[in-house]
Amino acid sequence: EAFSRPSLSFHTLMRLEADLEDQGYHLLAFPVLALHLQLAQSFQAPLGDAVACLAHLRLSRFAAECRLSGAAEIATARWTESLRSIPDSFSSFDEEREQVRSQRAGRGNTRDLEPDWLELPRNQQVPSKQACAPWSCGELHAYEVWAAISKECILHGEVWMAHALADEAIKHAADYGDRRTMRELCITKARLARAEGQPGEVIKNLKDIKAADGEQAAQIGCLLADAYRQKGQSVLADAVLRDTCSAVQMASPASQGQHGSAREIQAECALRAEKVRVELNRLRLALVATQDWLSDLHSTFVTHSEIGQELHGAALYRCRVTSCIHFVKDVVGLLEAKRTDLIRDPANSGALTFDQFVRFAGNLVETIFECRSSRDALLAHTVPNEGVASGVVLPVEVLAAHLDVWEARCMAMRRELRVAAKEDRKLAAVRERCRTEHPQQGPFTSEKTIGGSRSIGPVKQLDEATALAQNVEVWLRDSDDKINETEQQKTVAREMSEVEASVALVSNAATVLQSGDFGAAGAGEEDAAIVDGQVGAPLAAAPFCRAEALAELGRLQLEFAAQQRPTPAASVWEAPTQDPYELRGMEVGERYSNVLANRGPQQLAEAPAKEAAEGGPEGGAEDSIQFSFEELAKATLCEALQDALAARNFRAARRALQALALEAYGLRCPEAAFEFLAWLQSVEVCARAEEVVEELLPEGHSERVHMHLLHELEARWPLPQSRSSYKAIKKRLLLESPTFQRMQLGDLPPIAEILQSSLPSLTLVVTLQVHNNYLYVGAVCTPPDGDSAQRLTQLEHMVTRIPVREAELNACLHKLQELNVSIEKEMITSRQVDEALAEQVGTLLAQAEATLIQPVVQDLVCHFWQYGLNIEHPCNPKQILLLPDSFLWGLPLERFPSLVALLPAPNLASIARDFSLHTLAQRSRTPPPIPQPASSVLLTDAFNEDKVEADEDPKSETMCAVHRRLIEAKVISKEEKSLHGQMLTASPEDVKGMLTDSTMFFALGFGRFFTTISSNHIAAQDLRHLKLVALFHRVQNDNAFRRQTKAESMKSLRQLTMENAYGTPLIATFRGVHCTVLSIAPVPVALSMRSFETFAKAIQAGKSAAKALEDVMGLQEKPEFRYSRTLEGGLPPGTTGPVDPKKPPPPPSPEGMEDLLPSHTRTAYMAVGLAWVPSEAAEGDGKKKK
């Protein structure tokens, strides 16, 4: 009785709730939702139940967004049961649908929808024109409620229920001929199709929509553009956005000089913002930054400013703040990527300079400053001054806090870039002088730099007179600054610095983001504290959105602590320098004091207890305050890291770890510095794996769809782990996705436990990472076998930092790549490695070893070989695990003589590598869903490109002949699954079948492996059952080179980058492979065949991958037969006379024998992962060999 027109009230309340949400008036929406629940009683079941379910869905979401967890849980419990019962009510409307169809059949229209436009009657005064058809809303139908519920289900992550309701509603809307509701349902279906990675379905659902309003047109344009972009049709995507934006502008009253409505302005601005986002993505993918590139980036700032002004003029304050955050986020990512390119490859950075970066960072700060008017207006209009219960945090407050965090981050970026620009100008002047003095200087030098002990940069040590003059000048300038600052403090009130303002700003933002009535809801094992690299006890559940705020706050606190020091402190990576004369004088004075005090000559003086407790006679309070502020920064960063790992927010985790690993500890606490370096490396690897998933995994792949849904829930809900849909999706991913499993870094035990459980005793773990023109090195040796608690106390850590010019190291790596390409081309017409090119490769590697690795080796020897390398000691390391980052990955570190000499010969099997310490630990912790017996398959010369040349022995074997011989000898167990090119040309489905039905996969062939099968296919496979993948490729001839060139020409540059020496084992690792062996440089065909045969036989004999590679490196042959193939039956080259096939060939004479593999080929083979674990040898029946 309270609602005279319930159907009109329903639509009115729906529109009012949507408007209140868009404007940020969530508190005002609660009484409206209460009225909505009362309205549900005006309808009979099951329609009334559906209306109540919709109200409870919205109520639970609004309450969760306001951090009212208790109210959200109550509302969730109420809609859960009613939502599940809605599909059961579908059949109750069959009779009503049949009646509607009969009525429409009587009017002669049963299939077509009602028209969108009506023809107005003509007369002489009024010409013919169209008008919008009236909306029949006198009666509320169930399918209209289902359509609204399906849209709400998408926000809750209930995708299946959204599909079911939308499909049923479409049937009802078609029966009623309701074109208006059908438009909404088609858009909903398109959103569902986009979430499931089906761009074709998105286009199919949207192609027939007509007469859409401005808001719907904007949604359709963005969905279509995104769908065409996923299909690789960027031109069509740009055309859709352009045409949609033009159509919305033409239909807007503003085009006729009138003021448009807020919704029309919002639709137009949404399309323009999408065009800006697309433009920023294009600029990010550009290889060279030209002057046009700079102009285009500047244009995006202008366009965004115009969008913001229009939104502010229409009082769309929340939309403007949201748009500003998205724009700033995209631009920051663009600038960070281009900054890395400028540091590592300045020659290809075009017009970009650090001064340009400073200018764009300043533009970002100005952009946020312009948006603060909308932010302040939004808070003033939506946040009441009183009457709000404690624990309530409105979404607009969270949005404003995010804006504050990004403002502080942009200001921090501007400060960093200013320092970098100043340093770059200094180094540019010095480099120019050194280039004049040493015009023939190679890519590396061993000359010292100012402020560092070692360097590979061309910075020459200044002479003593110049250095003394500079030091005096610096001292005088610092003294003047201190005197002026002291006088200013006494006479003028000090203004708040930018860092202090940022600390206050972000501190308030972090408080807002972590406020709320959460309790312990959703807390799990992954929510654990991390202090000094250790994972502690579980904490109460915390919102995922606060990780970035805490990371920024910790970095600012650390920066502020450094500024508050009375004197500039040395870097945490610089050992304190001691004057030997001063030390000698102190020793003499100490002994004299002992004589006077009647103490022993070696006794040390101790401070009084009271003085020691106060930290000294003077200055103790100041030091204590400084110490506590620095410790506060470390605790904040650890808390940010814990939150980021729980949410798999590797971007926030990286920022927190960069401060913890590179700035917080250093030589002051080697253990913490090493562990945070290990964490930083693992987070970098996971971030790189996310990029691989985004690029290579098919759009509709189940893992990609569920990971996308998970990210959507984490971005939308403050506490997503309390949602049942979130828990179900995460549980499924943990069961089915090897990539998701290996991203769960927070589930792993502490690093100390990983070192004990995942590595053999006396294993030296060395992490090598390049950051900000420094090589950071961290090392630890696992203790001997014994009691677990005692072993923990025996861990010894070492960290150091070496100056390195990233641009020069990048030039060296590019030169190595170019030389390998030249060697590969030479192998088209030659059966051996070009000696001149191989010598150049050896020279570059020797220079890299001398300037990068040898200084590290010296520190390792001093720390872990206390008695020297020549003295055997039970605590000396027995194995070495190298953990290089992606920048250093292309260097064959395992073959560097300085590293090999650390271990007693034979030692090649004692050195292995992996991506990170946590990646190594995850390999043995992700078992396959269905265990398989040990078996092996072999794919050889998939395109039958191998042939015996005219200048070779006609009895020589081809790859296919070697394949058949290994199958007959039971070296490869699964004959029926193994394939070679003379049998058939293997398709991707054949290769995927081989990968699925074996535990060891071998491949011997021409070209790169990903020209045989695309990386997209491998990235979509579950390979957790694979213990070993051995890829003996990179052999070349004319046919293979042409095929490889054609295949790679059809791939994007981004995909080719992910298929390099780092990306190939990374893809295999995050799809579940335990160990990967591959060739990273071109190898002659004869050497590849003989190396593979030796490796396969060693694996079949039960040896580990490292031992098998050691056998390959130990092969001997006479120089004249080095590049000769084996003869029929596996006979060594050069064998003459009759040979009994039943007897093994006689062993070759040791006279005149040399290593089979030349130095270049020895550096071509790499083992990644669990290379020390013995292989599961398999016979032809699939059983283990006894």
Side-chain angles (χ1 to χ4, degrees), residues 211-476:
D213 58 24
E215 184 180 1
Q216 293 174 338
Q219 296 178 15
I220 293 170
C222 293
L223 287 170
L224 283 175
D226 187 61
Y228 282 121
R229 198 168 291 109
Q230 289 180 3
K231 293 171 68 70
Q233 301 173 354
S234 301
V235 176
L236 282 177
D238 296 339
V240 166
L241 280 179
R242 182 177 61 252
D243 295 344
T244 307
C245 191
S246 300
V248 171
Q249 290 175 349
M250 291 177 61
S252 174
S255 62
Q256 303 175 1
Q258 303 176 9
H259 184 69
S261 66
R263 288 191 174 274
E264 291 170 341
I265 294 175
Q266 182 179 3
E268 180 183 348
C269 290
L271 288 169
R272 296 180 65 187
E274 180 67 14
K275 291 174 66 176
V276 170
R277 188 187 68 83
V278 173
E279 178 67 11
L280 289 174
N281 187 55
R282 182 189 68 81
L283 295 175
R284 184 168 186 170
L285 296 177
L287 297 180
V288 180
T290 60
Q291 289 293 341
D292 292 338
W293 188 93
L294 297 176
S295 300
D296 292 340
L297 181 57
H298 179 70
S299 299
T300 60
F301 280 93
V302 175
T303 304
H304 173 75
S305 178
E306 295 174 354
I307 294 173
Q309 292 173 5
E310 291 186 17
L311 291 173
H312 186 82
L316 296 170
Y317 306 127
R318 189 183 186 193
C319 291
R320 184 185 184 184
V321 175
T322 304
S323 175
C324 181
I325 292 175
H326 291 163
F327 175 77
V328 170
K329 184 177 179 180
D330 292 338
V331 175
V332 167
L334 169 66
L335 294 181
E336 288 179 347
K338 292 301 178 182
R339 179 189 178 187
T340 302
D341 294 342
L342 177 60
I343 292 174
R344 297 188 174 181
D345 196 6
N348 291 329
S349 297
L352 264 182
T353 61
F354 278 104
D355 293 330
Q356 297 283 358
F357 278 117
V358 173
R359 180 168 68 90
F360 286 125
N363 291 344
L364 281 176
V365 176
E366 293 175 1
T367 298
I368 297 178
F369 183 77
E370 292 176 359
C371 185
R372 293 195 70 84
S373 58
S374 296
R375 169 193 178 276
D376 298 338
L378 178 65
L379 294 177
H381 285 83
T382 59
V383 180
N385 294 328
E386 57 184 12
V388 180
S390 61
V392 177
V393 180
L394 299 182
V396 292
E397 295 180 280
V398 174
L399 193 66
H402 280 299
L403 184 67
D404 293 343
V405 172
W406 281 106
E407 180 180 3
R409 181 169 178 179
C410 291
M411 289 192 291
M413 173 184 284
R414 183 173 60 179
R415 292 193 300 272
E416 294 172 2
L417 291 172
R418 283 173 177 170
V419 174
K422 188 180 300 183
E423 293 296 327
D424 185 69
R425 286 192 292 268
K426 293 180 181 179
L427 290 176
V430 177
R431 282 199 303 269
E432 183 64 27
R433 187 185 63 189
C434 290
R435 190 179 297 111
T436 305
E437 296 177 359
H438 306 282
Q440 302 298 327
Q441 185 170 288
F444 295 104
T445 66
S446 58
E447 297 173 348
K448 295 184 178 181
T449 58
I450 303 173
S453 58
R454 309 181 191 94
S455 173
I456 62 171
V459 184
K460 195 172 183 180
Q461 181 72 35
L462 299 180
D463 54 25
E464 295 183 1
T466 306
L468 180 60
Q470 289 188 355
N471 292 334
V472 170
E473 183 179 354
V474 170
W475 179 82
L476 290 174

Side-chain angles (χ1 to χ4, degrees), residues 28 111 257 351 373 398 424 470 482 485 612 644 659 692 719 961 987 1080:
L28 298 181
R111 296 184 178 181
S373 58
V398 174
D424 185 69
Q470 289 188 355
K482 292 178 182 178
E485 183 178 358
V692 170
L719 198 67
S987 67
I1080 62 173

Side-chain angles (χ1 to χ4, degrees), residues 161-175:
M161 186 60 68
H163 266 298
L165 293 175
D167 291 338
E168 187 68 17
I170 287 175
K171 298 177 185 178
H172 286 244
D175 292 339

